[in-house]
Amino acid sequence: LLGLAVLLLYARRTRRRNEPPLDKGMIPWLGHALEFGKDAAKFLTRMKQKHGDIFTVRAAGQYITVLLDSNCYDAVLSDVVSLDQTGYAQVLMKRIFSLNLPNHNPESEKKRAEMHFQGSALTQLCSSMQNNLQHLVTPSEMGLKVSEWKKDGLFHFCYSLLFKTGYLTVFGAEKNNSAALAEIYEEFRRFDKLLPKLARTTENKEEKQIASSAREKLWKWLTPSRLDRKPERQSWLGNYVQHLQDEGIDAETQRRAMLLQLWVTQGNSGPTAFWVLGYLLTHPEALRAVTEEIQGGKHLRPEEKQKNTPVFDSVLSETLRLTAAALITREVKQDKKICLSNGQEYQLRRGDRLCVFPFISPQMDPQIHQQPEMFQFDRFLNADGTEKKDFFKEGLRVKYPSVPWGTKDNLCPGRQFAISAIKELVFTILTRFDLELCDKNAKLPLVDPTRYGFGILQPAGDLEIRYRIRS
Ligand code: HEM
């Protein structure tokens, strides 16, 4: 009876004065949930065309206000009292990682990470990352003789290499067990592939079992006391484990939390490296420009090589513009008035959710970026070769042309490390390997549309390549 009453209450919801346009969809309670989950970008683009930069949709009993006016993201999200990010984060942690961390505070976690991913700690981390990558691309590690061609999928090639590099660097694993490293990557991928389904609780019985088994194995390997080297106290991971212990978190929960951190730190860089190299291989003029830039820096010391690379930086920004698709979600804790950049005010209702989706705007906004679906390697370059920062919408300068690392108060603390690792991988491959498409007319695979909302997109298929280590 109570369920019926709640259902009726929801069905009766109407738009109040000053609230955003309300679109409940045709199906009672479920509303737009199916379309939203199937392809969030397509659905939200359709809603934006229908309603504009702000609207409220119903999905699985929840009312979600979607805000797509990028010039006001920072101002709206800075109100951490009215807009809470912990509640929904807890739900996802439980669904995806089977993890209960009642005191988890994303803001303080980000502060902790920020301390460890900057300054001299960052320099040390980057140098360790470079050593680990150089080790992983030796002929013996790759199981390849010099000049011998090997075929692979580009996504698998990039993701496995960068995952292993990152795991060795951040989790301090020993280099000498490549079979174990390969096994950890394969289990991680089994789990990572199912992540959107786990988040939406749409996995079937068989998928549930695959995810559980992958998680079990990863938990076992990631148990802090079982790692090859116990995380050093002064490292980010060591500090995190210490924090969990200080909070009285039991050993089982600790190892589950390690998988969360494995995904946060290793789940996005590999896919980004894939898109960067995929775009380069399918856009010869971009590949030529990047190769020339790398050649120009050949004489520099290793630590200098990454510094002045405006062409590569533009390629990376353009790649992230096209593939960074995190959905930023908050719970509205109290009624709140928000102001769009055109001065119009709207009321958010307590109990609803607020979502910001920078992928649609600014990143794919045709008023900001001409032909937004096209890869243009020099989109973020001025005519004089410097970084282009000025982009406009309806005559007004936009604050950010792209938001891959999150909004102002929620920036990814690992972004410099991520950029450095992606750069190192791409430069290493372009200088130490011959890398070609198996079919020189091949196109990039389409995006897997279920991944909108979960960070960097992943392809629905792969791009066949052949590569060899140069003599
Ligand atoms: C959080 C993007 C790689 C560490 C975030 C957030 C974004 C993001 C958008 C904010 C999420 C939110 O608050 O809603 C990316 C992208 C990456 C990347 C696009 C690669 C291309 C990395 C790497 C590390 C890292 C390599 C560390 C080695 C973190 C941490 C958080 C975070 C610790 C905070 C998570 C929390 O709330 O506890 N990242 N990231 N990220 N990122 Fe990254």
Side-chain angles (χ1 to χ4, degrees):
L1 205 65
L2 184 69
L4 189 66
V6 170
L7 198 71
L8 285 174
L9 198 72
Y10 267 103
R12 277 219 316 268
R13 171 155 167 158
T14 51
R15 183 183 180 187
R16 291 186 198 143
R17 219 166 76 84
N18 291 338
E19 281 189 344
L22 176 65
D23 199 318
K24 295 199 276 189
M26 302 297 280
I27 314 169
W29 189 79
L30 208 53
H32 291 289
L34 297 179
E35 206 186 337
F36 203 148
K38 208 166 141 201
D39 185 333
K42 197 165 154 193
F43 167 64
L44 295 176
T45 302
R46 184 168 81 75
M47 288 290 121
K48 179 173 160 44
Q49 278 157 3
K50 190 170 167 192
H51 300 295
D53 281 346
I54 187 163
F55 46 85
T56 301
V57 294
R58 177 171 59 176
Q62 181 77 47
Y63 285 89
I64 304 168
T65 295
V66 182
L67 174 65
L68 297 171
D69 174 357
S70 61
N71 267 358
C72 67
Y73 291 164
D74 284 349
V76 171
L77 294 173
S78 65
D79 178 358
V80 293
V81 176
S82 309
L83 301 173
D84 167 72
Q85 60 171 316
T86 51
Y88 189 59
Q90 299 279 0
V91 171
L92 288 184
M93 273 198 293
K94 182 95 193 78
R95 286 182 186 167
I96 302 173
F97 299 96
S98 216
L99 174 65
N100 248 331
L101 282 178
N103 294 332
H104 178 79
N105 179 346
E107 281 165 59
S108 57
E109 282 318 318
K110 259 170 234 155
K111 287 211 180 80
R112 179 197 320 285
E114 240 147 44
M115 268 171 34
H116 289 92
F117 289 118
Q118 65 176 13
S120 62
L122 176 68
T123 312
Q124 229 172 33
L125 215 54
C126 289
S127 133
S128 151
M129 173 271 292
Q130 285 166 343
N131 286 336
N132 288 326
L133 179 63
Q134 294 319 317
H135 165 76
L136 289 168
V137 296
T138 49
S140 63
E141 272 302 307
M142 297 206 104
L144 254 184
K145 293 197 193 82
V146 171
S147 298
E148 177 191 8
W149 286 100
K150 190 171 179 181
K151 282 190 180 175
D152 200 349
L154 182 64
F155 184 71
H156 176 264
F157 179 66
C158 292
Y159 204 173
S160 59
L161 254 181
L162 216 44
F163 175 90
K164 290 174 189 173
T165 306
Y167 180 68
L168 290 175
T169 310
V170 178
F171 283 71
E174 292 293 352
K175 282 191 202 139
N176 55 14
N177 196 344
S178 39
L181 208 51
E183 209 181 339
I184 292 178
Y185 171 71
E186 295 305 330
E187 280 316 322
F188 175 79
R189 269 301 285 156
R190 261 191 267 282
F191 168 73
D192 176 40
K193 269 188 210 157
L194 289 169
L195 195 123
K197 287 193 173 176
L198 298 174
R200 300 189 177 104
T201 59
T202 54
E203 75 278 17
N204 62 30
K205 217 170 132 191
E206 193 193 342
E207 290 165 338
K208 200 177 212 136
Q209 216 185 346
I210 296 174
S212 291
S213 138
R215 257 188 325 230
E216 281 290 346
K217 288 186 191 155
L218 290 162
W219 286 338
K220 199 175 79 194
W221 291 323
L222 294 172
T223 303
S225 57
R226 279 190 47 141
L227 286 171
D228 294 337
R229 276 179 279 143
K230 252 183 97 183
E232 287 168 31
R233 263 183 96 124
Q234 69 273 26
S235 74
W236 164 70
L237 201 66
N239 190 278
Y240 179 66
V241 172
Q242 187 61 49
H243 158 76
L244 294 178
Q245 284 167 359
D246 293 347
E247 292 259 299
I249 303 286
D250 61 76
E252 175 61 28
T253 308
Q254 280 180 38
R255 61 189 199 139
R256 293 183 183 203
M258 297 294 267
L259 179 54
L260 163 73
Q261 302 301 6
L262 185 68
W263 191 78
V264 167
T265 57
Q266 312 305 329
N268 286 309
S269 304
T272 308
F274 157 76
W275 292 113
V276 169
L277 278 168
Y279 281 121
L280 289 179
L281 289 174
T282 52
H283 293 77
E285 78 292 359
L287 181 58
R288 215 172 305 123
V290 169
T291 316
E292 274 170 20
E293 185 174 74
I294 297 175
Q295 288 292 328
K298 232 169 56 183
H299 60 284
L300 295 174
R301 288 201 311 271
E303 62 275 22
E304 294 295 317
K305 278 191 177 145
Q306 284 209 0
K307 279 196 179 143
N308 188 16
T309 56
V311 178
F312 177 85
D313 297 347
S314 172
V315 167
L316 180 59
S317 297
E318 176 67 340
T319 302
L320 289 169
R321 181 186 70 78
L322 286 158
T323 61
L327 194 64
I328 300 166
T329 303
R330 299 287 182 265
E331 263 174 43
V332 184
K333 285 286 172 202
Q334 56 196 41
D335 289 357
K336 173 181 166 63
K337 192 159 65 181
I338 62 171
C339 185
L340 300 203
S341 52
N342 62 6
Q344 194 134 14
E345 289 183 339
Y346 289 94
Q347 195 70 25
L348 300 181
R349 206 189 282 196
R350 187 170 82 101
D352 289 356
R353 243 177 230 161
L354 174 74
C355 276
V356 162
F357 196 32
F359 178 74
I360 291 189
S361 188
Q363 290 161 220
M364 296 297 278
D365 190 333
Q367 287 183 291
I368 300 174
H369 301 290
Q370 282 173 8
Q371 297 185 293
E373 67 295 339
M374 299 267 292
F375 173 81
Q376 291 173 10
F377 81 93
D378 53 359
R379 199 186 285 274
F380 291 87
L381 277 180
N382 290 315
D384 66 357
T386 54
E387 183 192 353
K388 181 172 171 182
K389 291 180 178 165
D390 296 328
F391 291 82
F392 297 87
K393 178 170 176 168
E394 293 166 344
L396 286 178
R397 185 174 183 271
V398 292
K399 254 184 167 168
Y400 310 106
S402 185
V403 189
W405 310 106
T407 49
K408 190 172 144 232
D409 295 319
N410 254 311
L411 275 179
C412 167
R415 62 196 180 282
Q416 279 124 326
F417 179 68
I419 293 172
S420 180
I422 295 162
K423 229 182 217 190
E424 189 67 18
L425 181 83
V426 174
F427 284 15
T428 300
I429 289 175
L430 293 182
T431 50
R432 306 262 300 277
F433 289 76
D434 290 316
L435 177 77
E436 315 174 338
L437 296 173
C438 288
D439 165 7
K440 68 179 184 346
N441 297 317
K443 294 213 160 49
L444 269 180
L446 295 174
V447 158
D448 169 0
T450 64
R451 301 223 54 125
Y452 286 112
F454 297 94
I456 298 293
L457 295 169
Q458 296 190 4
D462 208 335
L463 190 62
E464 294 305 309
I465 48 145
R466 51 184 214 138
Y467 64 90
R468 63 179 178 185
I469 302 176
R470 283 192 196 145
S471 51

